[in-house]
Amino acid sequence: MRKRILVWLMVLSMLLPTVCVNAAELLDTEGSLQQEDGDSTQRESKTPDTEEKTLPEGEATPSSEPEEKATPILGQTEEPGKTVEPTALPTETPEREEPVPTETPEATSTPTETPEPEEVTPTPVKTPVVTSMLTAMATPDPTSTATATLTTEVKKWTYKLSHAGIIQENKYPDDDFVRADELEEQVDLEGVRSFIVKSLLAGEEEIDISEYQVPVFYIDQVMSEVLNENPRFFYVVFDDCVVEDTIVKSVIPIYKGNRDEIIQGSTEYEQAVAKALACVDGSMNTMEKACVLHDYLVTHCEYDKSYQRYDAYSALVDGSAVCQGYTLAYLELMQRAGIDCTTVPSNAMNHIWNMILVDGNWYHVDTTWDDPSNWDSKSYCGHKNFLASDAEIRDNQEHHDWDVRYEANSTKFDNAEWKESNSIICKYQGTWYYMGSIGGANGLIGRTGSLENGTSSIVQSLTKRWPVWNQAGYYWKGSFGYITIYDNAIYFNGSDSIYKYKNGQIKELYTYTGGEGYLYDIVTKNDKLYCGVSQSYDGSISYIEVSDPEVEVKPTVKPTATPTVKPTAKPTATPTVAPTVKPTAKPTVEPTAQPTVIPTATPRRPVSSDFPFYDVDVAPGNWKYESVKYVYENGIMNGITNTDGTIDSFQPDEPLTRAMFATVLYRMAGQPPVAFENRFSDVSTGRYYSSAITWAYRNGIVNGYVDGSYGVDDYITREQIAKMLRIYAQVRGYSTSERANINSFPDVSDVSGWAVEHMSWAAGCGMINGKNIGGTYYLDAKGNATRVECAAMLMRFINRYGK
């Protein structure tokens, strides 16, 4: 509320004939929104109880229980003060973390590939906010104590962002943090955020947002949401913005690394995301996908006790981060998997986690606290903080004072039997497996049906317990067995043995006889299998390679070190892809069903493999024939598939769909491998266009409609093709400076505002020559492009630029 009050004070002061106090000075005297750095949430651990073995008569009884250990667990809190049965995760006495330096840490990872540009809604709504009163204000430097008199002169000044609420910098929103979405009725918020994202992907050094009319007192929140909702911008920070009166004209990004470093880092980031997403498949429901990705993150990231790693890159690529890194990484994975997700900050805890939407209900997910920092076992994966209700996360896990707009009222998963499992939960040959307990028996559990509502049973029980080192007759209660997947089989450990489960068969693969401790881990690394040996559940672990004679030995690939990248003031080079503008609405022509049946009115003629289309006359020199022949011979367009799977028609005069055109461009680019990304409501995996649309989106060629759909079956217009071809040319590194004066076309006024530049380019470089209607040539910008017209444009494009 502080900023709102100050803003209205500014407005009221200008109505007076006297001078007004500078708004920035008021903000400074009122108090800073800066928050204390550090991720000092405490995590308490408990030492598991031991039970006394009955001793033979005459033998001395141990005089005391084993001494408890107290190892600090940073960033998590578990259940202090409770008397409980020992569990597989004994933890320890809490200890506060050291505060994190306020300065932005140096980047320790290598930024990568030029992130993909996104389209931006053209002609954003320009709704000035209280500008009728505020434009008369002469705004000096915000740090100055000087006053200003009423004047109509426009003043330019620089505003320095507060960085409040930017999670990647360990700044959580507090009660005074005004949500940017409160601007919905005054500013095209989606448009400005999308435009900033697009400009960041294009590597712009200054981003002009003047047309969106964003008041300066909201710009901190806008920039915070841009970065918090896009974890892939781990290489970007913001500081200064240029203001005219009270409206922000531009924001200035600072890139951590040069262009090549950003490209490299982004490539590594995308590869890490794709590796995680490879763990899910189409047979899994939302809850199961969320679980698998939760387990992947927990077992592939360790808590950063140096408190320097805050972003998703650190968590997914470097494998080490504080709670912000875990939270942003899980947000990224949920977004890519098509699962609604948000962040949940708690200033009181100096901690942050996630909430996700499953079957209409919100649930808490805290990957950081499911990965205790005092636990050396790399395969440990708790689930107590996965799909927790408000009551569960508050009462049992002791989270408190969080700030989020949603409530987690459903307790559906609070008492799920897999909640007590401390191993990964994996799907293998149609069944879910994890280490746990049923009816007092510990071991490998198989769960048939869904993870949510299936039936569980013991597949292999573990009868040997984990002894307390050097204390004869004492054992840790609970199980310390974990799971790893290796060579299409499940491997799990007991206290002294490694077991293999494959195709329904269990075998004991290895028995440890080294006498240096017991087995507390089982991991796979660099295509090799290792067991972890320690003298205590919370002690340091040494790893021993375990060989399986049934597994073919693979050559060892020595991993290369990731060079350390230090932030630079600005990138030495910026990507060549320019920002583009997207349509504000769907095509004006209502789409109809995509043709799949050969018109019966067209007489068939014999076809050949050289030119199989019966509905295109073989007429050398004719533009239709030459265009169709060219795209067919170059593998760009293949014709229409009949119901029996054959292809013998091209249907040249039928309109082309948006999905078809994305596929065409994807073929021109050589169909590079791409991991499917669930970005559009009407694009699912496994369709002929899935990879093409994902690729086009990542390269900024398409971004779909404002309702979240792509419009796969919508017919593409000629101006949309011009735009997509122009951006494609920029992505391929070609110059798009050609322009033609399109005012000579009688229907130039029909061209959409966002498409004028694209149509001017298309006419200037010969992609579009006009449509001859009654001897007059028209642009027909909003008209549906036919398949043969598309073929002609592509032939001209390739002849001019190449593929």
Side-chain angles (χ1 to χ4, degrees), residues 305-602:
K305 296 180 182 179
S306 69
Y307 318 117
Q308 298 297 315
R309 301 173 182 268
Y310 296 95
D311 54 45
Y313 180 97
S314 298
L316 292 170
V317 179
D318 295 334
S320 177
V322 295
C323 59
Q324 290 95 317
Y326 281 85
T327 299
L328 290 167
Y330 196 65
L331 174 66
E332 181 74 82
L333 296 179
M334 291 297 96
Q335 288 177 341
R336 301 290 184 100
I339 300 173
D340 288 335
C341 181
T342 189
T343 57
V344 187
S346 169
N347 273 306
M349 298 175 65
N350 199 18
H351 183 49
I352 190 168
W353 60 96
N354 299 97
M355 287 181 74
I356 64 172
L357 187 66
V358 177
D359 297 332
N361 294 305
W362 286 95
Y363 298 92
H364 294 269
V365 178
D366 192 341
T367 52
T368 311
W369 279 30
D370 279 338
D371 188 16
S373 62
N374 73 316
W375 207 257
D376 278 1
S377 172
K378 300 183 184 302
S379 297
Y380 178 92
C381 181
H383 294 90
K384 291 182 179 180
N385 297 282
F386 175 65
L387 299 185
S389 66
D390 283 343
E392 167 76 8
I393 203 82
R394 179 183 59 247
D395 299 336
N396 295 336
Q397 306 309 318
E398 299 183 349
H399 291 56
H400 57 90
D401 296 300
W402 58 79
D403 177 22
V404 71
R405 67 193 69 183
Y406 307 112
E407 293 183 350
N409 296 321
S410 173
T411 60
K412 179 177 182 178
F413 300 105
D414 283 359
N415 297 308
E417 72 175 29
W418 42 260
K419 278 274 191 174
E420 299 300 320
S421 174
N422 294 324
S423 78
I424 63 170
I425 301 174
C426 60
K427 194 171 188 180
Y428 174 70
Q429 296 180 343
T431 300
W432 292 94
Y433 294 93
Y434 58 91
M435 302 299 290
S437 177
I438 296 180
N442 296 321
L444 178 67
I445 294 176
R447 188 172 178 84
T448 57
S450 70
L451 180 58
E452 184 176 349
N453 300 310
T455 302
S456 301
S457 60
I458 290 283
V459 177
Q460 175 67 37
S461 62
L462 298 177
T463 57
K464 293 183 179 180
R465 295 180 291 178
W466 276 259
V468 178
W469 185 254
N470 283 337
Q471 295 196 40
Y474 287 86
Y475 301 86
W476 298 118
K477 286 186 178 179
S479 172
F480 301 89
Y482 305 108
I483 284 177
T484 191
I485 305 298
Y486 176 61
D487 195 51
N488 197 32
I490 294 176
Y491 293 80
F492 59 99
N493 70 282
S495 60
D496 60 3
S497 298
I498 299 295
Y499 300 88
K500 177 182 180 180
Y501 177 71
K502 186 172 185 179
N503 299 326
Q505 301 295 318
I506 293 278
K507 64 179 295 185
E508 187 172 343
L509 178 68
Y510 168 82
T511 300
Y512 174 71
T513 58
E516 297 295 326
Y518 301 97
L519 302 186
Y520 286 96
D521 202 4
I522 175 79
V523 297
T524 305
K525 188 174 182 179
N526 297 330
D527 290 322
K528 292 185 178 182
L529 184 69
Y530 297 87
C531 64
V533 178
S534 179
Q535 295 181 0
S536 174
Y537 70 91
D538 60 351
S540 61
I541 296 178
S542 59
Y543 288 90
I544 300 174
E545 184 178 349
V546 177
S547 62
D548 184 349
E550 297 178 354
V551 176
E552 180 182 356
V553 178
K554 299 177 182 179
T556 301
V557 179
K558 184 177 181 181
T560 57
T562 303
T564 300
V565 179
K566 295 185 177 181
T568 58
K570 294 274 179 81
T572 56
T574 56
T576 58
V577 182
T580 58
V581 181
K582 67 178 179 182
T584 57
K586 292 188 178 183
T588 56
V589 180
E590 184 68 20
T592 58
Q594 175 181 333
T596 56
V597 182
I598 300 172
T600 56
T602 305

Side-chain angles (χ1 to χ4, degrees), residues 703-777:
N703 199 39
Y705 298 131
V706 293
D707 63 359
S709 68
Y710 174 76
V712 291
D713 293 324
D714 290 355
Y715 295 143
I716 195 166
T717 64
R718 288 162 61 85
E719 64 183 11
Q720 287 175 345
I721 284 184
K723 169 184 170 290
M724 293 169 69
L725 272 177
R726 181 166 176 256
I727 300 174
Y728 176 84
Q730 294 169 345
V731 170
R732 306 297 286 180
Y734 305 131
S735 171
T736 58
S737 60
E738 300 93 337
R739 295 293 186 275
N741 185 354
I742 59 177
N743 291 327
S744 60
F745 290 92
D747 61 340
V748 65
S749 61
D750 293 337
V751 179
S752 300
W754 59 264
V756 171
E757 187 175 16
H758 304 303
M759 291 295 287
S760 175
W761 164 81
C765 61
M767 296 303 106
I768 292 178
N769 296 324
K771 181 179 288 188
N772 189 339
I773 303 177
T776 301
Y777 286 88

Side-chain angles (χ1 to χ4, degrees), residues 273-325:
V273 170
K275 184 178 179 181
L277 293 174
C279 298
V280 303
D281 60 56
S283 69
M284 299 178 186
N285 60 31
T286 299
M287 174 264 180
E288 292 167 343
K289 291 178 181 178
C291 178
V292 169
L293 293 173
H294 163 278
D295 291 8
Y296 179 92
L297 180 58
V298 169
T299 55
H300 284 76
C301 185
E302 296 180 357
Y303 193 81
D304 175 30
K305 296 180 182 179
S306 69
Y307 318 117
Q308 298 297 315
R309 301 173 182 268
Y310 296 95
D311 54 45
Y313 180 97
S314 298
L316 292 170
V317 179
D318 295 334
S320 177
V322 295
C323 59
Q324 290 95 317

Side-chain angles (χ1 to χ4, degrees), residues 188-295:
D188 179 12
L189 181 60
E190 181 180 350
V192 68
R193 288 193 300 207
S194 178
F195 183 76
I196 293 171
V197 167
K198 173 73 174 180
S199 301
L200 289 176
L201 294 172
E204 297 293 335
E205 295 191 19
E206 184 170 357
I207 303 173
D208 183 353
I209 62 170
S210 56
E211 59 184 333
Y212 294 94
Q213 295 288 289
V214 179
V216 65
F217 35 82
Y218 281 110
I219 193 62
D220 288 299
Q221 289 74 23
V222 171
M223 300 315 302
S224 173
E225 292 191 12
V226 166
L227 292 180
N228 293 346
E229 294 173 7
N230 293 274
R232 58 182 167 172
F233 293 135
F234 55 86
Y235 53 86
V236 176
V237 295
F238 283 89
D239 200 10
D240 293 339
C241 61
V242 178
V243 183
E244 286 187 1
D245 285 341
T246 61
I247 301 300
V248 178
K249 293 303 178 182
S250 63
V251 292
I252 303 172
I254 301 173
Y255 298 94
K256 296 186 286 186
N258 60 36
R259 180 179 182 273
D260 290 340
E261 291 167 340
I262 291 173
I263 291 175
Q264 181 184 346
S266 293
T267 300
E268 293 171 349
Y269 182 76
E270 289 299 325
Q271 289 172 345
V273 170
K275 184 178 179 181
L277 293 174
C279 298
V280 303
D281 60 56
S283 69
M284 299 178 186
N285 60 31
T286 299
M287 174 264 180
E288 292 167 343
K289 291 178 181 178
C291 178
V292 169
L293 293 173
H294 163 278
D295 291 8

